[in-house]
Amino acid sequence: MSYEVTATRRRPQQFNDLVGQEFVAETLKNSIKSGKIAHAYLFSGPRGCGKTSTARILAKALNCQNGPTDQPCGTCSTCQEITKGTSLDVIEIDGASNTSVENIRQIKDEVLFPPSNAKYKIYIIDEVHMLSTSAFNALLKTIEEPPPYVIFIFATTELQKVPATIKSRCQQFNFRLVAIDKVKQCLAEAAAELGIQADDEALFWIARESTGSMRDAYTLFDQVVAFSDGHITYEKIRDKLGLVGIDRLNTVFEACAQNRTADVIGLLDEFLQAGVSIEQLISNSADYLRSLLLIKNGVKKESLLGNSAERYSSVVLGAWNTVQIERALSIYLQLYRDIRYSLSPRYELELAFSRLCWLGSYVSNAEVKKAIDAAQGLLMGAPVAQSTAPSAQTAPASTVTAEVPQSQSAPAGMNPIPAGMPRLSMLDELIAKEQAGISDDDTGDPGSPDGSGGEGENANPFLNGGPLPPEQSVAASEAENAHPAELDARLKLNIPLNDVTDDGQTMPVVDVPLSETGYTVNPDAEEGEDGWSNMDAPPDDDYYPVEADFSEQAEQVYEAEAASGNQGAQNTAPVQLQDTLETANGQTISIAQLRGQVTANLAVTDSFAASNLEKTGLWVVEADSVNTTVETVYDLSLIEKKKDVIAAELSNACGRPMKFNVTQKAVEPQKTAAPVEIPSQVSILVHAFKGTIVAGRM
């Protein structure tokens, strides 16, 4: 008899032979026993988990001469024909090569004829997701209402590609991956059937490499048997297939844990010279680090580790903690993604192992936070847990000494110092004082200006954090020279709104604070009064117009406005214009000086109002109001928003309530030019060329 591969030789022939699919087997057996047989089944799951084998077992169970039965005999002619694939009533179709609608039409024609020898005509369509959309649509009616003797069994590895209309017409069974323990057990039975001795470690490696697929496991098993000479060992697999192995990984990772970079690079060169590929070395290293991480977290299950926990190096487990191993595993997972686009994959590999050599110094963010929290407690003067162990070194009291406390819990209310954290020896006196009940007033002056808490040996450097910054020190000195109440009284402008005019507007009554000499107080003066008064003449520049010129311009404006008034305005008495103004305290100031003072004060308190005030025209004072104009409507809208602020500042300058009125300057209409007679020559040209005269000069 010719050689038969293990996957075919050990194909399941009964429902009880299915490995890892107990749910599917029990459901099908119970449905056959109760006679509730569906007309369509859909088997889905990964490759090599028994979908096609289950379909053949179901076909034998339905067509067996002793059935339908949940345990087909396997000896009758029908069972043997189905096993060999020669039965005329069990048709297996490859969906990948029969995807067209013509193949489905052929099936629709064949189902009209009953089975020749068996009880059911069964169609097994493997990889059904490869059918075209038209083929699926042609199959819908047939699988929904087939003849009573026809049963469809579909198998697929990509269930998401099967239309929902097909799924709704079938009973669905999801096949699962086989556990590693069960795969190892099946491999051991296969080795015993062949009379081959196999080590558990080697079988575990084959089972892990199969990733839950029985067909992959049997195929790899046949390959290993071919070069093992009757005895399968892990060392033979490692050498023949170019693996690194647990022993070699222990050696290289121990060198990394001990920070022997030169030895690590030498071992990597040996592995690559021996034929181990870079991808395989990265994969084996990632598996090794994953196993270390599982062991660190208390996982000892051999099927997950791939080896017994004792096989892994205790040196590596003791040198690295869980966070550092997680960091190492992330490095290799990222490395496997990066080598596809790397300049040299070997350089990337050597760099990754070089990083592992200083992995012992890696500190996670959580550990940094714990250290900062402990240091914050120390600097805030919190009591610390004292250690009974002697200090690592002797140093003066004023220096920083390093002390490693014992691993014991600190008393309640104490701040534990982490192992290896430096401790300030000057804190010992603070702890002793707090335990003895001595206050800070007994040893130092906590209210000293420099913040040192006094002078001498009893000075406490942790009372208020030292002297104030320069800007705060200046503010504190100014606060000492001027009482806050006095500052508020000087800076506050008291303008009660209690004076109502005839037109219903509320005018502020200004309470102007005056100095002893009768001048207004300047709150911005740094060292008392600077001698400047509101009565001094303004600087002689373009900002303030000359008084004589201003008066003449005011007269001209008034005369122009009076001449352009209506007839009713001619009967009214002329308004008395003023070029000077007398304040409440009897002082006389010019209009130019008033305007300059108001603009200068607003430049300090409200720069936006001051900038709008500069756009106004000449000021005309009429009794208790100031009238002016602006050029545009936009400027008028802006100054209207600041009208109350300007009026308040104006009232403050004059010492009595004042109004501020602003209007838009009247625009003189442009005179229309007299029509110009167009020369006849130009008219002829315009009519000839159908043009238009757009510009020109006569």
Side-chain angles (χ1 to χ4, degrees):
M1 182 179 180
S2 60
Y3 172 75
E4 191 175 16
V5 297
T6 304
T8 304
R9 177 171 53 84
R10 291 186 55 83
R11 181 185 289 273
Q13 302 298 327
Q14 298 286 339
F15 286 114
N16 295 332
D17 297 338
L18 293 174
V19 180
Q21 314 300 335
E22 290 78 9
F23 166 74
V24 177
E26 290 298 327
T27 304
L28 293 177
K29 288 169 63 176
N30 293 334
S31 64
I32 293 174
K33 289 179 182 179
S34 60
K36 299 178 181 179
I37 302 172
H39 58 270
Y41 295 90
L42 178 59
F43 297 160
S44 62
R47 68 183 187 278
C49 58
K51 298 184 296 297
T52 306
S53 299
T54 304
R56 293 181 180 179
I57 295 173
L58 180 60
K60 288 192 294 183
L62 296 176
N63 288 335
C64 181
Q65 294 180 359
N66 299 328
T69 176
D70 60 331
Q71 294 181 355
C73 63
T75 57
C76 63
S77 59
T78 304
C79 291
Q80 291 181 358
E81 289 177 357
I82 295 174
T83 302
K84 296 177 182 179
T86 59
S87 176
L88 298 177
D89 297 325
V90 179
I91 302 98
E92 294 190 23
I93 301 174
D94 181 16
S97 58
N98 298 274
T99 60
S100 63
V101 67
E102 286 77 10
N103 303 115
I104 302 303
R105 290 174 181 172
Q106 182 179 357
I107 295 176
K108 294 177 63 177
D109 295 338
E110 291 178 356
V111 298
L112 300 177
F113 301 96
S116 58
N117 297 324
K119 298 183 174 104
Y120 294 94
K121 177 177 285 188
I122 301 175
Y123 287 90
I124 301 176
I125 303 179
D126 201 3
E127 301 298 333
V128 70
H129 65 273
M130 299 295 292
L131 295 180
S132 61
T133 303
S134 58
F136 275 124
N137 294 333
L139 195 59
L140 290 178
K141 190 63 177 178
T142 304
I143 65 174
E144 184 176 7
E145 296 178 356
Y149 50 81
V150 174
I151 295 177
F152 289 94
I153 303 176
F154 303 136
T156 178
T157 56
E158 299 184 25
L159 182 62
Q160 71 278 3
K161 293 185 178 181
V162 179
T165 52
I166 298 294
K167 297 178 184 178
S168 62
R169 291 167 168 81
C170 304
Q171 285 190 7
Q172 300 182 40
F173 292 88
N174 295 323
F175 287 70
R176 306 170 184 173
L177 292 173
V178 184
I180 295 178
D181 294 337
K182 295 182 179 180
V183 176
K184 175 182 173 297
Q185 182 180 357
C186 293
L187 293 176
E189 294 174 358
E193 291 177 0
L194 297 175
I196 298 175
Q197 185 179 0
D199 295 345
D200 289 342
E201 186 178 1
L203 296 181
F204 261 123
W205 181 85
I206 297 174
R208 288 188 62 190
E209 290 296 319
S210 65
T211 63
S213 173
M214 288 302 305
R215 182 167 58 241
D216 292 355
Y218 286 137
T219 302
L220 185 57
F221 173 79
D222 291 340
Q223 182 179 358
V224 172
V225 168
F227 60 75
S228 296
D229 295 333
H231 187 194
I232 302 175
T233 62
Y234 183 75
E235 288 74 15
K236 293 180 180 179
I237 296 176
R238 180 194 65 192
D239 297 336
K240 298 297 183 180
L241 297 182
L243 306 179
V244 183
I246 184 67
D247 297 330
R248 295 179 179 177
L249 289 174
N250 283 333
T251 303
V252 68
F253 278 96
E254 284 179 1
C256 292
Q258 297 171 357
N259 199 11
R260 295 186 282 115
T261 308
D263 296 341
V264 171
I265 300 300
L267 290 172
L268 292 179
D269 183 66
E270 292 180 5
F271 297 159
L272 298 178
Q273 292 295 333
V276 179
S277 64
I278 294 178
E279 292 80 2
Q280 187 66 43
L281 182 55
I282 297 174
S283 177
N284 294 149
S285 300
D287 292 339
Y288 181 84
L289 292 171
R290 170 186 174 272
S291 300
L292 292 181
L293 187 60
L294 294 177
I295 295 174
K296 276 286 189 179
N297 288 277
V299 178
K300 305 293 184 181
K301 191 175 181 180
E302 190 173 355
S303 60
L304 290 177
L305 301 178
N307 296 280
S308 60
E310 292 76 12
R311 293 291 305 275
Y312 293 91
S313 173
S314 58
V315 176
V316 181
L317 291 172
W320 295 339
N321 56 27
T322 304
V323 176
Q324 292 168 344
I325 296 177
E326 288 180 357
R327 175 64 178 172
L329 181 57
S330 65
I331 290 175
Y332 280 90
L333 293 178
Q334 183 63 37
L335 175 62
Y336 191 82
R337 294 189 289 266
D338 292 343
I339 60 175
R340 299 175 57 186
Y341 308 102
S342 176
L343 174 65
S344 174
R346 177 166 181 168
Y347 296 168
E348 299 277 358
L349 179 66
E350 292 174 348
L351 179 60
F353 274 97
S354 178
R355 288 174 178 173
L356 293 188
C357 293
W358 53 263
L359 187 64
S361 302
Y362 174 76
V363 180
S364 65
N365 295 335
E367 294 172 332
V368 172
K369 182 180 182 301
K370 291 180 181 179
I372 293 176
D373 293 341
Q376 181 181 7
L378 294 176
L379 296 177
M380 292 176 63
V384 296
Q386 297 298 321
S387 173
T388 58
S391 300
Q393 59 183 359
T394 304
S398 59
T399 60
V400 178
T401 59
E403 181 175 343
V404 181
Q406 297 289 340
S407 58
Q408 59 184 5
S409 60
M414 307 288 281
N415 182 33
I417 302 178
M421 176 66 66
R423 182 177 59 84
L424 297 176
S425 59
M426 63 179 65
L427 294 177
D428 296 339
E429 297 181 2
L430 296 178
I431 300 169
K433 292 175 184 177
E434 185 170 340
Q435 294 176 352
I438 302 175
S439 62
D440 295 334
D441 297 336
D442 300 335
T443 59
D445 182 14
S448 58
D450 59 352
S452 62
E455 298 179 356
E457 297 179 355
N458 296 327
N460 189 351
F462 294 101
L463 288 178
N464 54 12
L468 294 173
E471 61 274 9
Q472 298 184 14
S473 301
V474 173
S477 62
E478 292 180 355
E480 294 177 357
N481 297 331
H483 193 272
E486 298 177 3
L487 291 176
D488 293 340
R490 292 176 63 187
L491 296 177
K492 183 178 180 181
L493 183 62
N494 185 14
I495 307 177
L497 302 176
N498 53 8
D499 189 4
V500 181
T501 60
D502 296 337
D503 55 356
Q505 297 183 359
T506 303
M507 294 300 298
V509 177
V510 181
D511 183 12
V512 181
L514 301 176
S515 63
E516 296 178 356
T517 58
Y519 300 118
T520 57
V521 178
N522 182 14
D524 298 329
E526 298 181 356
E527 299 179 356
E529 299 295 335
D530 54 0
W532 181 84
S533 68
N534 295 341
M535 307 309 298
D536 294 340
D540 191 10
D541 56 12
D542 297 337
Y543 184 81
Y544 302 97
V546 182
E547 296 183 12
D549 296 341
F550 180 79
S551 301
E552 294 176 0
Q553 293 175 4
E555 291 291 342
Q556 295 174 3
V557 171
Y558 170 72
E559 293 176 358
E561 291 180 355
S564 60
N566 52 23
Q567 298 297 330
Q570 296 177 0
N571 299 328
T572 59
V575 180
Q576 183 65 29
L577 297 178
Q578 303 178 14
D579 55 358
T580 60
L581 182 69
E582 184 176 355
T583 61
N585 57 1
Q587 299 292 333
T588 302
I589 60 174
S590 64
I591 303 302
Q593 187 175 358
L594 175 64
R595 175 172 178 166
Q597 179 183 348
V598 173
T599 306
N601 293 339
L602 287 177
V604 178
T605 59
D606 195 336
S607 59
F608 189 72
S611 62
N612 292 332
L613 196 62
E614 293 177 356
K615 300 178 182 179
T616 59
L618 298 177
W619 285 19
V620 179
V621 179
E622 300 176 359
D624 292 336
S625 64
V626 174
N627 303 325
T628 184
T629 59
V630 291
E631 294 290 340
T632 63
V633 179
Y634 177 72
D635 294 337
L636 179 62
S637 62
L638 293 179
I639 204 168
E640 284 288 346
K641 296 179 181 179
K642 297 294 181 178
K643 185 176 180 180
D644 296 337
V645 179
I646 298 173
E649 189 64 37
L650 186 63
S651 302
N652 189 17
C654 297
R656 65 176 186 272
M658 296 290 292
K659 295 181 181 179
F660 184 76
N661 302 323
V662 59
T663 58
Q664 184 183 0
K665 186 177 181 180
V667 180
E668 298 181 0
Q670 296 181 356
K671 297 181 180 180
T672 58
V676 180
E677 183 179 357
I678 302 175
S680 58
Q681 296 86 347
V682 176
S683 300
I684 294 173
L685 292 175
V686 169
H687 290 293
F689 293 97
K690 304 298 181 182
T692 303
I693 300 176
V694 295
R697 183 170 56 184
M698 300 302 296

